[in-house]
Amino acid sequence: MLGEHAPWLALSRVKGLGCVSFKRLIAHFGDPTRALAAAPSELAAIEGLQRDAIDGIVGFTQWAEVDSDLQRIRSAGITLVRYTDANYPARLRTIADPPPLLYVKGALTAADDKAVAIVGSRSASDYGRRVARDLARGLASFGFTVVSGMARGIDGMAHETALNCHGRTIAVLGSGVERAYPPEHERLYQRIAEQGAVISELPMGTKPLAFNFPARNRLISGVSLGVVVVEATEKSGSLITASLAVDQGREVFAVPGEVGSSRSRGAHRLIRQGAKLVETVDDIIEEIAPQLARLSGGDGKTDARQLPQNSSAAAQKVFALLQQRSLQIDEIIENSGLVSAQVLGILLDLELQGYLRQLPGKVYTIET
Amino acid sequence: MLGEHAPWLALSRVKGLGCVSFKRLIAHFGDPTRALAAAPSELAAIEGLQRDAIDGIVGFTQWAEVDSDLQRIRSAGITLVRYTDANYPARLRTIADPPPLLYVKGALTAADDKAVAIVGSRSASDYGRRVARDLARGLASFGFTVVSGMARGIDGMAHETALNCHGRTIAVLGSGVERAYPPEHERLYQRIAEQGAVISELPMGTKPLAFNFPARNRLISGVSLGVVVVEATEKSGSLITASLAVDQGREVFAVPGEVGSSRSRGAHRLIRQGAKLVETVDDIIEEIAPQLARLSGGDGKTDARQLPQNSSAAAQKVFALLQQRSLQIDEIIENSGLVSAQVLGILLDLELQGYLRQLPGKVYTIET
């Protein structure tokens, strides 16, 4: 099955062929196999394709290396997800330079369309770690996938909390996906792989060089609806992520802290530049609600009296309960027999799609 | 001399005559004496003047009470400053409902045109008190008058720091100006009266009732270029001050703090609503610089080679030094023989007016 990935790996070995050109090749040929068989003149007609890339494609011979790549990938239990695959993150596909291939340890699912990144300082304070935990817990409880970079400090706390709350989490590495980086996150890496995904665009064996991290950061924001910066000094990589997030049209959130703490200076700068100040997960949800509504296909003009046919059985169950009478959230959980995190996620989705309305005291009622 | 204030005190005793109507009376008659002698029909022609106010003016008889007011004022060492007096705060005159009369313990000066308010929680944290102190010190060192409400906590810290830095400070009370409120601020009250002003629009003897404080808050913002909220719970009076400041077209600043601290929640809400996030005094100055430039009469098109005739002798001295060569700030202080706070204030003013430019290392040079 991995055989069909061979031409993708081949193209990714071609020097001078960047993500943007790769995307154009796929757009033109539909398949790397056809690109590898193309005449130089046809390749030359593709906008932006460099001379050395054309030469590399036309004269490609490293099939033995591709074969050994495939063996390494297979034996390490890594999955390759191509730009054209259904499980390639839909939102990542929309950035200017999406990676043609993702190396995945674990699995990407449709649930990951509802993802928010939490990033921050490696040398986080107790305060920063506490806020990262609270936000990750809140996001997980509303069914969001928590995205981060698996670094020490804030990143690690975000992943760990999502896992502990039985939520999904994605770690984006700036090195080969087959190995935990930093090494002390080996156990965390294994847990993420089981309950989410560790992903990278970099070939197996790529070392975690500082050089790779800014490019990695564009993937953190790229797969996410928004990026929350928890603690960041003024030179933090998190500010790069925030800046890339803005370029990609993602929401940027920042958590304030005490004036005088160098760890909060970056976040404060972001807030001055227009990032939304975040105290609780509600501040995040409020801001991305319009995008979530689009995600769920809601347009505010839905027939409020019944849910679409393709709604989940759990959502239908919750909705049916509320059709009888308005219920407090604890009653909904009890009467539905569903776990609270699932109910919270369903209620949020239905509210955003305009089917439900929340009344004071966390009472939900059908929107008429 | 206080005799000429008698008709003002008389009018301020008239029930139903608010600040706005009082202002209209002055605009119409030029002087309260003429208003008190006016025919009912002439009074009735003034927009918004209530029936009971007209009756109160026409039938005014409480001259004995006015006389005893004047005696009390005189013996308490209070000055009355009328809306039409030259030393009435120029900025306060521009609000919708300026008090016709200010009771002043101490003195208002032209320097108070450059005023910034610092307000916040009565039950401030150590963090809040530290930030209030740092900001007040910074404002004082740049020659700003620090305005506040003399309450416990942030207010007290702001006044005290300004005094300790040999700066000017104005306390606006929500009670009669003859007595310190809260009582434990008696010593602070005396110091402010000596080195600045304690002011109130309320008659002598008015008790510090909660009812009076929102109206008092409009004066805090009214005399100031901007209001800095340091710590504020969600129900804090500081948020009222901030809201009044917005209505009056003043800048609003808020100091962030840790998420989860109820004392920072009000400030965070203000930042979300558009208040400028403040870390240091530079953030304040940057925002009010355009107003300061107008205040100094600078329009960026001044002849940079010489200062206007009406510049202070001290400013002329500093400018003359810099005409010889560029100087580091410590050299300017030493060579000018002026105190550092004065030099800092002059340098800031000249820089904002476009006469000077600051180079790295706090070196100043004439702008050419």
Side-chain angles (χ1 to χ4, degrees):
Chain A
M1 193 196 86
L2 275 173
E4 67 197 50
H5 296 98
W8 290 77
L9 284 169
L11 279 190
S12 70
R13 283 185 155 271
V14 170
K15 285 203 196 345
L17 183 65
C19 291
V20 176
S21 303
F22 202 127
K23 188 172 75 170
R24 289 195 182 125
L25 271 187
I26 301 300
H28 184 89
F29 292 104
D31 190 286
T33 314
R34 290 199 45 232
L36 285 158
S41 60
E42 190 175 1
L43 291 169
I46 293 173
E47 188 199 341
L49 207 58
Q50 302 294 314
R51 189 67 249 169
D52 55 344
I54 295 171
D55 293 346
I57 295 167
V58 172
F60 189 81
T61 55
Q62 302 168 277
W63 291 106
E65 287 85 344
V66 167
D67 223 44
S68 105
D69 286 348
L70 278 172
Q71 278 173 29
R72 278 184 77 183
I73 291 166
R74 200 176 291 126
S75 66
I78 309 296
T79 313
L80 286 179
V81 176
R82 296 164 298 182
Y83 177 71
T84 50
D85 287 335
N87 61 336
Y88 188 95
R91 199 164 298 103
L92 187 58
R93 212 181 265 130
T94 68
I95 72 172
D97 46 1
L101 266 183
L102 288 176
Y103 296 77
V104 179
K105 177 91 177 176
L108 295 166
T109 75
D112 300 329
D113 282 350
K114 210 171 118 182
V116 170
I118 297 179
V119 297
S121 176
R122 287 193 297 274
S123 65
S125 69
D126 287 345
Y127 164 67
R129 295 169 62 86
R130 191 173 73 236
V131 178
R133 188 195 60 207
D134 291 348
L135 293 177
R137 183 187 289 147
L139 287 169
S141 74
F142 279 110
F144 285 91
T145 297
V146 174
V147 181
S148 196
M150 217 176 85
R152 298 179 189 96
I154 298 300
D155 288 21
M157 180 55 95
H159 290 301
E160 201 175 307
T161 306
L163 293 168
N164 292 345
C165 297
H166 311 289
R168 284 191 54 81
T169 188
I170 295 176
V172 188
L173 301 192
S175 53
V177 79
E178 78 287 0
R179 188 170 297 139
Y181 182 80
E184 69 259 43
H185 277 175
E186 172 62 29
R187 172 80 192 108
L188 179 63
Y189 168 87
Q190 296 296 347
R191 290 182 68 197
I192 298 172
E194 281 160 26
Q195 205 173 318
V198 181
I199 69 173
S200 174
E201 66 176 321
L202 298 166
M204 302 275 290
T206 305
K207 294 273 185 299
L209 301 174
F211 169 81
N212 293 323
F213 286 85
R216 183 276 305 258
N217 292 350
R218 89 185 193 289
L219 305 188
I220 292 180
S221 51
V223 300
S224 306
L225 288 154
V227 174
V228 186
V229 176
V230 174
E231 279 193 321
T233 59
E234 285 189 290
K235 293 180 177 176
S236 168
S238 302
L239 298 193
I240 298 177
T241 311
S243 160
L244 294 164
V246 170
D247 294 345
Q248 294 168 350
R250 307 293 186 255
E251 301 294 338
V252 178
F253 304 92
V255 174
E258 291 195 347
V259 162
S261 158
S262 60
R263 288 196 190 89
S264 287
R265 209 160 288 155
H268 291 163
R269 196 211 282 182
L270 289 175
I271 292 169
R272 276 204 212 91
Q273 292 170 345
K276 172 106 192 259
L277 185 153
V278 168
E279 291 185 300
T280 69
V281 71
D282 295 338
D283 300 319
I284 301 171
I285 290 176
E286 187 184 314
E287 201 72 14
I288 60 179
Q291 292 184 66
L292 281 178
R294 275 198 297 280
L295 205 63
S296 319
D299 59 359
K301 288 176 191 155
T302 43
D303 177 356
R305 299 308 183 118
Q306 59 176 47
L307 295 186
Q309 296 280 323
N310 63 356
S311 301
S312 71
Q316 298 280 8
K317 192 174 213 171
V318 167
F319 194 72
L321 281 172
L322 291 168
Q323 279 180 315
Q324 295 164 35
R325 66 180 180 91
S326 302
L327 289 169
Q328 207 272 333
I329 193 160
D330 294 331
E331 299 173 305
I332 303 173
I333 293 166
E334 204 181 307
N335 296 349
S336 68
L338 302 168
V339 296
S340 64
Q342 194 180 3
V343 172
L344 282 170
I346 289 168
L347 290 173
L348 175 68
D349 286 343
L350 294 182
E351 190 182 351
L352 290 168
Q353 292 171 63
Y355 290 104
L356 299 185
R357 191 153 47 94
Q358 197 185 145
L359 305 174
K362 298 229 171 259
V363 171
Y364 285 82
T365 189
I366 301 282
E367 182 73 78
T368 49
Chain B
M1 196 194 84
L2 275 173
E4 67 197 49
H5 295 99
W8 291 76
L9 285 169
L11 279 189
S12 70
R13 283 186 156 271
V14 170
K15 288 205 195 343
L17 182 65
C19 291
V20 176
S21 303
F22 202 127
K23 189 172 73 169
R24 289 194 183 126
L25 271 187
I26 301 299
H28 184 87
F29 293 104
D31 190 287
T33 314
R34 290 198 46 233
L36 285 159
S41 59
E42 190 175 2
L43 291 168
I46 294 172
E47 187 199 341
L49 207 57
Q50 303 293 316
R51 190 68 248 170
D52 56 344
I54 295 172
D55 293 346
I57 295 167
V58 173
F60 189 81
T61 56
Q62 303 170 277
W63 291 105
E65 287 86 344
V66 166
D67 223 44
S68 104
D69 287 348
L70 279 172
Q71 277 173 26
R72 278 184 77 183
I73 291 165
R74 201 177 290 125
S75 66
I78 309 297
T79 314
L80 287 178
V81 176
R82 296 164 297 182
Y83 176 71
T84 51
D85 286 335
N87 62 336
Y88 188 94
R91 199 164 299 103
L92 187 58
R93 212 181 265 129
T94 67
I95 72 172
D97 46 1
L101 266 184
L102 287 176
Y103 295 77
V104 178
K105 177 90 177 176
L108 294 166
T109 75
D112 300 328
D113 282 350
K114 210 171 116 182
V116 170
I118 297 179
V119 297
S121 176
R122 285 193 299 272
S123 64
S125 69
D126 287 347
Y127 165 68
R129 295 169 62 86
R130 192 173 72 237
V131 178
R133 189 194 59 208
D134 291 348
L135 293 176
R137 182 188 289 147
L139 287 169
S141 74
F142 278 111
F144 285 91
T145 297
V146 174
V147 181
S148 197
M150 218 177 84
R152 297 179 190 96
I154 299 299
D155 288 21
M157 181 55 96
H159 290 302
E160 199 174 309
T161 307
L163 293 169
N164 292 345
C165 297
H166 310 288
R168 283 192 53 81
T169 188
I170 295 176
V172 187
L173 302 192
S175 53
V177 79
E178 79 286 358
R179 188 170 296 139
Y181 182 81
E184 69 258 43
H185 277 175
E186 171 63 29
R187 172 81 192 107
L188 179 63
Y189 168 86
Q190 295 296 346
R191 291 182 68 198
I192 297 172
E194 281 160 27
Q195 205 174 319
V198 181
I199 69 174
S200 174
E201 66 176 321
L202 298 166
M204 302 275 289
T206 305
K207 296 271 186 298
L209 302 174
F211 169 81
N212 293 322
F213 286 85
R216 183 276 304 260
N217 293 350
R218 89 185 192 288
L219 306 188
I220 292 180
S221 51
V223 300
S224 307
L225 288 155
V227 174
V228 186
V229 176
V230 175
E231 279 192 323
T233 59
E234 285 189 290
K235 293 180 177 176
S236 168
S238 303
L239 298 192
I240 298 177
T241 311
S243 160
L244 293 163
V246 170
D247 294 344
Q248 294 169 349
R250 307 295 187 254
E251 300 293 338
V252 177
F253 304 92
V255 174
E258 292 195 346
V259 162
S261 159
S262 59
R263 289 195 190 89
S264 286
R265 209 159 288 154
H268 291 162
R269 195 210 284 181
L270 289 175
I271 293 169
R272 276 203 211 93
Q273 292 170 345
K276 171 105 191 261
L277 184 152
V278 168
E279 291 186 299
T280 70
V281 71
D282 294 338
D283 299 319
I284 301 171
I285 291 176
E286 187 185 312
E287 201 72 13
I288 61 179
Q291 291 185 66
L292 281 179
R294 275 198 297 279
L295 205 62
S296 320
D299 59 359
K301 288 176 191 156
T302 43
D303 177 354
R305 300 307 184 117
Q306 59 176 45
L307 295 186
Q309 296 279 325
N310 64 355
S311 302
S312 72
Q316 298 280 6
K317 192 174 211 172
V318 167
F319 195 72
L321 281 171
L322 291 168
Q323 280 179 315
Q324 295 164 34
R325 66 179 180 89
S326 301
L327 290 169
Q328 207 272 332
I329 193 160
D330 294 330
E331 298 174 305
I332 303 172
I333 293 166
E334 203 179 310
N335 296 349
S336 68
L338 301 168
V339 297
S340 64
Q342 194 179 3
V343 172
L344 283 169
I346 289 169
L347 290 173
L348 175 68
D349 286 343
L350 294 182
E351 190 182 352
L352 290 169
Q353 292 171 64
Y355 290 104
L356 299 184
R357 191 153 44 95
Q358 197 184 146
L359 305 174
K362 298 228 169 259
V363 171
Y364 286 81
T365 190
I366 301 280
E367 183 72 76
T368 50

